[in-house]
Amino acid sequence: MFGCLWTSEDLLVTARFGRIVAAVPVGAQLCQALLPLFGMEQQIGALRRRPDRVFQIPNVAVVAGDETAPRLNITVLWMPATVGYLVLVSRALARDDLEIELTRQTRRRMLSEAQLVEQSKAIAAANVELARANHDLEAFTAIISHDLKAPMRALRYTTEDLARALADPAGGDPHEHLDRLNRQSRRMSGMLTSLLAYVRLDRDDSPDEAVDTRQLIDDIVTGMPVLSGQSITISGSWPLSRVERPALDLVLRNLIENALKHHDRPQARVLVSARPADGGIEIAVEDDGPGIPSDLQAAVFRPFTRLGDPESDGIGMGLTLVQRAVRRAGGTLQLESDPPRARGCRFTLFWPTA
């Protein structure tokens, strides 16, 4: 809080500004109206000879009876341009007031710094998300421009073969072409459905919930069609954990289905085991199938990649969905397979728990 008084050269108040000097009447004699200056006329007058100096009375108060006025800092300056004096009056802060103000300023600075840190983190996270989105956009562009064109061409060629067969009986059995057309259309539909599931995976914000992981894997295996000669064995310690159930279900279901689907023998054995790990659960899915050569292990996670029979019903998106779900959850997935030395594959999944 501060105020200003302007006076003539004989110290008569000519103007004022501020509530702190509102009680000083215009036209009054300064040293009588502002009591801390009473008797200081000679010292103030000396400023006219030394206009580079100021006259100050710091931290002063007038006590009248039991009432104490606020403590003031008073500064008087000679103003040659206006041929008068300028008096600056401000409230003096006590030690406690200074400490309080210092604490407030420190708190404001700390809050500002904390906000800057949070903004920096948000910007860094946004940059990471933007880079991931750009990578996904490039991947989708490649899928649309290459992978989806193959079944489109197959559909076109099949319809042309069907048209020739209908026009000329020597062109072959139309029912065979219709059967091929039906298979290709189902494959195209499956590819589009899988691609849509891939896009939606990051937008699925299912909350974490307490899940009995043993019950989860039992439900998955019980509902899975297992052919004669195939077996799925569950072992290990399956804890009760807070996880995103739909995502974990998708990952385990696809890993087990792939192990059975791509087995090359009627007698197929799959072992699923689990154990608690630091910050999550570690799950292994092992099979005794043909294995995956080391030079093809990266390719199995790419969209629409099938290493087996190209005419099979598989879409080639299972492991792509698995890897995306694992990364989204903050987990890891490792593939171990060495067909020249031993049969089979082992997928080791680390899934974090809340």
Side-chain angles (χ1 to χ4, degrees):
M1 180 183 295
F2 78 98
C4 300
L5 294 172
W6 290 266
T7 75
S8 63
E9 59 181 333
D10 53 359
L11 295 177
L12 294 177
V13 178
T14 58
R16 69 188 180 195
F17 171 80
R19 288 191 300 170
I20 198 170
V21 294
V24 178
V26 174
Q29 214 286 333
L30 175 67
C31 294
Q32 295 178 2
L34 198 59
L35 292 181
L37 296 178
F38 183 78
M40 300 293 178
E41 291 86 354
Q42 184 177 353
Q43 290 88 335
I44 296 174
L47 294 174
R48 298 176 63 177
R49 296 188 298 273
R50 297 292 303 273
D52 58 322
R53 295 189 176 184
V54 298
F55 176 72
Q56 292 181 310
I57 301 180
N59 200 22
V60 64
V62 177
V63 180
D66 295 332
E67 297 182 1
T68 302
R71 306 186 74 84
L72 303 175
N73 291 324
I74 301 175
T75 303
V76 184
L77 305 89
W78 169 250
M79 308 292 290
T82 58
V83 191
Y85 295 93
L86 171 62
V87 183
L88 304 177
V89 182
S90 64
R91 183 169 181 174
L93 294 176
R95 179 178 178 84
D96 291 344
D97 295 329
L98 289 172
E99 291 176 351
I100 291 172
E101 183 62 23
L102 179 61
T103 301
R104 288 175 178 169
Q105 293 294 339
T106 303
R107 186 183 299 114
R108 291 193 190 101
R109 190 188 73 221
M110 292 175 66
L111 287 173
S112 298
E113 291 175 352
Q115 290 173 351
L116 287 174
V117 170
E118 289 300 320
Q119 289 173 357
S120 299
K121 290 180 179 178
I123 292 172
N127 287 335
V128 171
E129 183 65 19
L130 181 60
R132 188 192 60 78
N134 287 335
H135 179 270
D136 285 347
L137 181 60
E138 293 176 1
F140 290 137
T141 302
I143 290 171
I144 297 299
S145 62
H146 180 267
D147 296 273
L148 292 181
K149 280 186 177 180
M152 291 292 291
R153 286 194 299 269
L155 284 172
R156 186 175 73 249
Y157 296 153
T158 304
T159 55
E160 292 173 355
D161 291 342
L162 175 61
R164 284 193 293 269
L166 291 174
D168 182 4
D173 185 358
H175 293 90
E176 294 182 2
H177 299 304
L178 282 173
D179 184 58
R180 285 172 50 205
L181 186 63
N182 193 21
R183 289 200 309 270
Q184 290 292 342
S185 64
R186 285 200 306 269
R187 172 164 169 74
M188 187 68 180
S189 176
M191 293 176 72
L192 293 174
T193 301
S194 298
L195 188 59
L196 184 61
Y198 182 81
V199 173
R200 285 178 172 172
L201 196 57
D202 273 352
R203 301 177 185 175
D204 184 10
D205 293 325
S206 302
D208 290 333
E209 57 181 297
V211 175
D212 183 343
T213 55
R214 176 64 197 225
Q215 185 63 52
L216 173 64
I217 191 64
D218 284 342
D219 291 343
I220 292 173
V221 172
T222 301
M224 190 169 293
V226 179
L227 302 178
S228 176
Q230 296 179 338
S231 66
I232 303 174
T233 304
I234 303 172
S235 65
S237 176
W238 296 79
L240 178 68
S241 306
R242 290 195 65 82
V243 296
E244 189 178 337
R245 182 189 182 99
L248 183 56
D249 183 292
L250 178 146
V251 170
L252 295 177
R253 191 177 300 275
N254 274 278
L255 289 176
I256 298 172
E257 284 182 347
N258 272 3
L260 296 174
K261 183 188 303 181
H262 299 294
H263 208 287
D264 59 342
R265 295 176 179 175
Q267 304 295 324
R269 188 167 60 86
V270 177
L271 172 62
V272 187
S273 60
R275 67 179 184 87
D278 186 19
I281 177 175
E282 184 178 286
I283 302 173
V285 179
E286 302 177 69
D287 64 68
D288 58 350
I292 302 174
S294 58
D295 59 333
L296 297 177
Q297 289 179 11
V300 298
F301 295 101
R302 296 173 190 157
F304 306 128
T305 299
R306 295 181 300 166
L307 303 183
D309 181 7
E311 295 298 323
S312 67
D313 293 334
I315 301 299
M317 282 289 287
L319 290 180
T320 305
L321 289 171
V322 164
Q323 187 181 61
R324 190 173 181 87
V326 171
R327 288 178 176 174
R328 176 179 172 274
T332 59
L333 181 66
Q334 295 179 337
L335 167 59
E336 300 173 59
S337 184
D338 189 4
R341 297 181 60 185
R343 289 178 58 83
C345 288
R346 175 186 172 92
F347 287 90
T348 304
L349 167 70
F350 171 78
W351 193 271
T353 55

Short mmCIF file of all heavy atoms in Angstrom, two decimals, residues 36 57-62 69-74 92:
data_model
loop_
_atom_site.label_atom_id
_atom_site.label_comp_id
_atom_site.label_asym_id
_atom_site.label_seq_id
_atom_site.Cartn_x
_atom_site.Cartn_y
_atom_site.Cartn_z
N PRO A 36 4.67 12.59 11.29
CA PRO A 36 6.08 12.17 11.37
C PRO A 36 7.06 13.21 10.82
O PRO A 36 8.25 13.16 11.12
CB PRO A 36 6.11 10.89 10.54
CG PRO A 36 4.74 10.33 10.65
CD PRO A 36 3.84 11.53 10.64
N ILE A 57 12.31 8.99 6.23
CA ILE A 57 12.01 8.56 7.59
C ILE A 57 11.42 7.15 7.47
O ILE A 57 10.27 6.99 7.09
CB ILE A 57 11.01 9.51 8.29
CG1 ILE A 57 11.58 10.93 8.34
CG2 ILE A 57 10.69 9.00 9.69
CD1 ILE A 57 10.65 11.92 9.02
N PRO A 58 12.23 6.13 7.78
CA PRO A 58 11.73 4.75 7.60
C PRO A 58 11.03 4.22 8.86
O PRO A 58 11.38 4.59 9.97
CB PRO A 58 13.01 3.98 7.31
CG PRO A 58 14.06 4.72 8.08
CD PRO A 58 13.66 6.18 8.07
N ASN A 59 10.05 3.38 8.63
CA ASN A 59 9.45 2.56 9.68
C ASN A 59 9.03 3.37 10.90
O ASN A 59 9.43 3.10 12.02
CB ASN A 59 10.44 1.46 10.09
CG ASN A 59 9.75 0.29 10.79
OD1 ASN A 59 8.54 0.09 10.64
ND2 ASN A 59 10.50 -0.47 11.55
N VAL A 60 8.19 4.38 10.68
CA VAL A 60 7.78 5.27 11.75
C VAL A 60 6.27 5.14 11.96
O VAL A 60 5.53 4.86 11.02
CB VAL A 60 8.16 6.74 11.44
CG1 VAL A 60 7.40 7.24 10.21
CG2 VAL A 60 7.90 7.63 12.64
N ALA A 61 5.83 5.33 13.19
CA ALA A 61 4.40 5.28 13.50
C ALA A 61 4.08 6.34 14.53
O ALA A 61 4.93 6.72 15.35
CB ALA A 61 4.01 3.90 14.02
N VAL A 62 2.84 6.84 14.50
CA VAL A 62 2.37 7.81 15.47
C VAL A 62 1.45 7.10 16.43
O VAL A 62 0.47 6.47 16.02
CB VAL A 62 1.65 8.98 14.78
CG1 VAL A 62 1.09 9.94 15.83
CG2 VAL A 62 2.58 9.70 13.83
N ALA A 69 -1.04 3.66 14.97
CA ALA A 69 -1.22 3.79 13.53
C ALA A 69 -0.26 2.84 12.82
O ALA A 69 0.74 2.41 13.39
CB ALA A 69 -0.96 5.22 13.10
N PRO A 70 -0.54 2.51 11.58
CA PRO A 70 0.38 1.62 10.85
C PRO A 70 1.75 2.28 10.68
O PRO A 70 1.87 3.49 10.55
CB PRO A 70 -0.32 1.42 9.50
CG PRO A 70 -1.39 2.41 9.42
CD PRO A 70 -1.70 2.88 10.78
N ARG A 71 2.78 1.46 10.70
CA ARG A 71 4.13 1.97 10.52
C ARG A 71 4.35 2.31 9.05
O ARG A 71 3.95 1.57 8.16
CB ARG A 71 5.14 0.93 11.00
CG ARG A 71 4.90 0.46 12.43
CD ARG A 71 5.99 -0.45 12.92
NE ARG A 71 7.22 0.30 13.21
CZ ARG A 71 7.44 0.94 14.37
NH1 ARG A 71 6.52 0.95 15.33
NH2 ARG A 71 8.58 1.59 14.56
N LEU A 72 5.03 3.48 8.83
CA LEU A 72 5.15 4.02 7.48
C LEU A 72 6.61 4.25 7.11
O LEU A 72 7.45 4.51 7.97
CB LEU A 72 4.39 5.34 7.36
CG LEU A 72 2.90 5.33 7.71
CD1 LEU A 72 2.35 6.75 7.66
CD2 LEU A 72 2.13 4.42 6.76
N ASN A 73 6.87 4.17 5.83
CA ASN A 73 8.13 4.66 5.24
C ASN A 73 7.80 5.94 4.48
O ASN A 73 6.89 5.94 3.62
CB ASN A 73 8.73 3.63 4.28
CG ASN A 73 9.24 2.40 5.00
OD1 ASN A 73 9.75 2.50 6.11
ND2 ASN A 73 9.09 1.24 4.36
N ILE A 74 8.51 7.04 4.78
CA ILE A 74 8.24 8.33 4.16
C ILE A 74 9.50 8.81 3.45
O ILE A 74 10.59 8.83 4.03
CB ILE A 74 7.78 9.38 5.19
CG1 ILE A 74 6.51 8.89 5.92
CG2 ILE A 74 7.52 10.73 4.52
CD1 ILE A 74 6.06 9.78 7.04
N ALA A 92 5.22 0.19 5.97
CA ALA A 92 6.40 -0.59 6.27
C ALA A 92 5.99 -1.99 6.69
O ALA A 92 5.08 -2.18 7.50
CB ALA A 92 7.21 0.07 7.39
#
